[in-house]
C-alpha cells in the first residue's frame, strides 16, 4: 500500500511515499519539473494548444471537444489525438520532463470521448487503415503510448478514466494494450464528494479484475480555488480509501492544490480517532496498512 501526494504546486507534501506534480495540467500551462517529484502531463487535453491552433480541436458529430459542450464530460479543450505536430511536440516535452523528474504520469493520452475524432485527417487515416472504426482508434492510442514508452526511461504511469466497461468504445483505450507499456496505472476517481463509497469500491473491484498491472486510485481533496464547503469531507475520504483498499487498489493519491491543503487533510484524518477505529473492522491487511499510514500522520504538524 503506497500513498502519494498529487499537487498543482511544486511543493513536496510530507508524510507520503512519493509526490506527483501537475507540470502540465489540462489548462495547458507548464511548470518547471522538480527532480524529486514525478511529473504529470495531460497530453491531448490542452487549452493552450487549442487556443493557439483552433483547427487542432477534436471533432465529433455532437460537436468539438470544447469546454462547455455538454454532450461529453469534458472540462477543457482537447486536441485531436492524431494531430501530428502536437503528438511530436508532446513526445519531446515528455522526454524532457522525464529527464528532470523521477518519472512521468500521463493523463488524456487517448481520444476525447465516444465519437471522436472525425476531422478530415482522422477519417482519411481510418479509411487507409482497413480497420473497423473502434479498432483504428485503439491502434492510434496504443501506437502513441508505445512511442511515449521509448522516451520515458524512468517510471511511466498511465492515467485511465473511471470506466472499466466502456473505455475502449469511448477513448480507444484497451487495458491489455496499455499494460504492455505502463509500469502502473492511475485510475482517476475525482469527485467533490464520496458520500456513497459503494460505487467507488465497485469500480475498484472492476479494475482489479481487468488490469494486468498494479494500479493506484486518485481521490480529490482540495482543488485550486475550491470553497472548503464544496470539497469532500475527511470522513468520506477515509471511508472511501478503506473500502477501495479492501477492493484491491495498490495505493492512493490525494489531489490538492498544494502541500498546505494536504497537511490540513492529514491532520484532520489523524484527528478522526473514532472513525479510524471503526474502519479497522472493514478488512484485513490492505485496510490495516492504510489505517497504519494514517496513524503515522500523527507527526504531521
Ligand atoms: Zn482528428
Amino acid at each position: 500500500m503506497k500513498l502519494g501526494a498529487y499537487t498543482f504546486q511544486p511543493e513536496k507534501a510530507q508524510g507520503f511515499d512519493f509526490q506527483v506534480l501537475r507540470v502540465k495540467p489540462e489548462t495547458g500551462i507548464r511548470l518547471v519539473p522538480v527532480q524529486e517529484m514525478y511529473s504529470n502531463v495531460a497530453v491531448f487535453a490542452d487549452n493552450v494548444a487549442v487556443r493557439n491552433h483552433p483547427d487542432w480541436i477534436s471533432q465529433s458529430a455532437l460537436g468539438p471537444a470544447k469546454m462547455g459542450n455538454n454532450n461529453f464530460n469534458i472540462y477543457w479543450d482537447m486536441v485531436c489525438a492524431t494531430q501530428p505536430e502536437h503528438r511530436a511536440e508532446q513526445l519531446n516535452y515528455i522526454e524532457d520532463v522525464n529527464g528532470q523528474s523521477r518519472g512521468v504520469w500521463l493523463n488524456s493520452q487517448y481520444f476525447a470521448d465516444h465519437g471522436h475524432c472525425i476531422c478530415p485527417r482522422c477519417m482519411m487515416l481510418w479509411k487507409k487503415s482497413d480497420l473497423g472504426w473502434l479498432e483504428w482508434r485503439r491502434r492510434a492510442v496504443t501506437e502513441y503510448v508505445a512511442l511515449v514508452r521509448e522516451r520515458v526511461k524512468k517510471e511511466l504511469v498511465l492515467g485511465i478514466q473511471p470506466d472499466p466497461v466502456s473505455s475502449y468504445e469511448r477513448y480507444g483505450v484497451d487495458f491489455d494494450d496499455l499494460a504492455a507499456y505502463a509500469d502502473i496505472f492511475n485510475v482517476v476517481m475525482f469527485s467533490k464528494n464520496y458520500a456513497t463509497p459503494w460505487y467507488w469500491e465497485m469500480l475498484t473491484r472492476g479494475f482489479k479484475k481487468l488490469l494486468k498491472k498494479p494500479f493506484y486510485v486518485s481521490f480529490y481533496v482540495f482543488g485550486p480555488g475550491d470553497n472548503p464547503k464544496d470539497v469532500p469531507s475527511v470522513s468520506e475520504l477515509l471511508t472511501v480509501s478503506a473500502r477501495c483498499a479492501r477492493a484491491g487498489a495498490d495505493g492512493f493519491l490525494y489531489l490538492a492544490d498544494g502541500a498546505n491543503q494536504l497537511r490540513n487533510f492529514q491532520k484532520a484524518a489523524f484527528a478522526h480517532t473514532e472513525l479510524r477505529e471503526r474502519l479497522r473492522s472493514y478488512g484485513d491487511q490492505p485496510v490495516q496498512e492504510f489505517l497504519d499510514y494514517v496513524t503515522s500522520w500523527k507527526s504531521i504538524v
Side-chain angles (χ1 to χ4, degrees):
M1 176 66 55
K2 290 212 162 146
L3 266 61
Y6 196 5
T7 60
F8 290 83
Q9 305 296 333
E11 304 167 346
K12 275 188 77 181
Q14 302 304 308
F16 292 97
D17 291 306
F18 59 90
Q19 289 85 12
V20 181
L21 172 62
R22 307 214 65 198
V23 294
K24 179 180 169 262
E26 292 79 4
T27 53
I29 61 150
R30 299 183 187 200
L31 302 183
V32 178
V34 175
Q35 198 71 55
E36 309 81 57
M37 298 173 84
Y38 291 96
S39 290
N40 173 218
V41 174
V43 180
F44 295 113
D46 189 328
N47 292 351
V48 169
V50 171
R51 190 158 67 236
N52 292 339
H53 307 277
D55 56 316
W56 288 6
I57 199 162
S58 184
Q59 304 283 348
S60 82
L62 296 171
K66 194 155 186 58
M67 189 158 53
N69 180 350
N70 294 330
N71 289 292
F72 304 103
N73 299 315
I74 292 172
Y75 308 104
W76 39 76
D77 300 339
M78 286 201 67
V79 175
C80 160
T82 70
Q83 210 299 320
E85 288 154 272
H86 188 75
R87 281 166 72 109
E89 194 275 332
Q90 288 294 288
L91 283 178
N92 291 337
Y93 174 67
I94 288 166
E95 183 174 5
D96 184 43
V97 152
N98 173 65
Q100 297 181 60
S101 48
R102 284 183 73 184
V104 176
W105 292 50
L106 296 187
N107 284 1
S108 76
Q109 71 282 5
Y110 38 71
F111 284 97
D113 208 327
H114 59 84
H116 285 266
C117 170
I118 59 166
C119 76
R121 178 186 50 254
C122 282
M123 298 312 279
M124 191 259 296
L125 290 171
W126 168 44
K127 282 176 186 148
K128 257 174 54 183
S129 75
D130 282 330
L131 294 169
W133 170 243
L134 294 177
E135 277 297 294
W136 169 74
R137 292 167 88 242
R138 168 190 173 180
R139 198 174 73 179
V141 170
T142 301
E143 284 180 352
Y144 190 65
V145 169
L147 294 173
V148 168
R149 180 74 266 188
E150 288 174 10
R151 305 293 190 102
V152 177
K153 305 299 183 199
K154 299 173 183 166
E155 190 169 86
L156 176 63
V157 179
L158 295 180
I160 47 180
Q161 294 280 328
D163 186 343
V165 179
S166 304
S167 284
Y168 169 68
E169 292 83 357
R170 292 177 66 189
Y171 309 109
V173 164
D174 181 278
F175 298 138
D176 290 350
D177 283 3
L178 298 199
Y181 303 107
D183 293 306
I184 303 173
F185 285 109
N186 174 35
V187 184
V188 177
M189 294 198 195
F190 295 151
S191 178
K192 289 282 182 92
N193 79 64
Y194 296 99
T196 313
W198 157 262
Y199 297 108
W200 312 103
E201 183 178 2
M202 178 183 68
L203 286 174
T204 302
R205 284 188 197 284
F207 282 111
K208 185 67 181 176
K209 182 172 161 181
L210 294 172
L211 296 179
K212 294 188 172 141
K213 283 283 170 75
F215 69 101
Y216 299 126
V217 171
S218 286
F219 292 124
Y220 190 97
V221 175
F222 200 108
D226 273 344
N227 184 324
K229 287 191 301 226
D230 296 333
V231 298
S233 71
V234 171
S235 56
E236 283 174 9
L237 283 162
L238 285 174
T239 306
V240 77
S241 300
R243 293 184 62 149
C244 291
R246 75 180 178 190
D250 296 287
F252 302 113
L253 275 89
Y254 295 97
L255 177 84
D257 189 26
N260 200 28
Q261 287 88 358
L262 286 176
R263 196 156 48 242
N264 292 340
F265 163 64
Q266 289 163 299
K267 283 198 280 189
F270 179 76
H272 277 62
T273 318
E274 225 172 280
L275 176 60
R276 287 195 286 116
E277 275 314 302
R278 189 160 72 247
L279 291 173
R280 289 276 175 196
S281 66
Y282 273 48
D284 53 16
Q285 196 193 344
V287 175
Q288 306 308 317
E289 274 181 33
F290 167 69
L291 292 168
D292 290 346
Y293 212 115
V294 176
T295 306
S296 78
W297 288 342
K298 184 179 186 197
S299 59
I300 302 291
V301 286

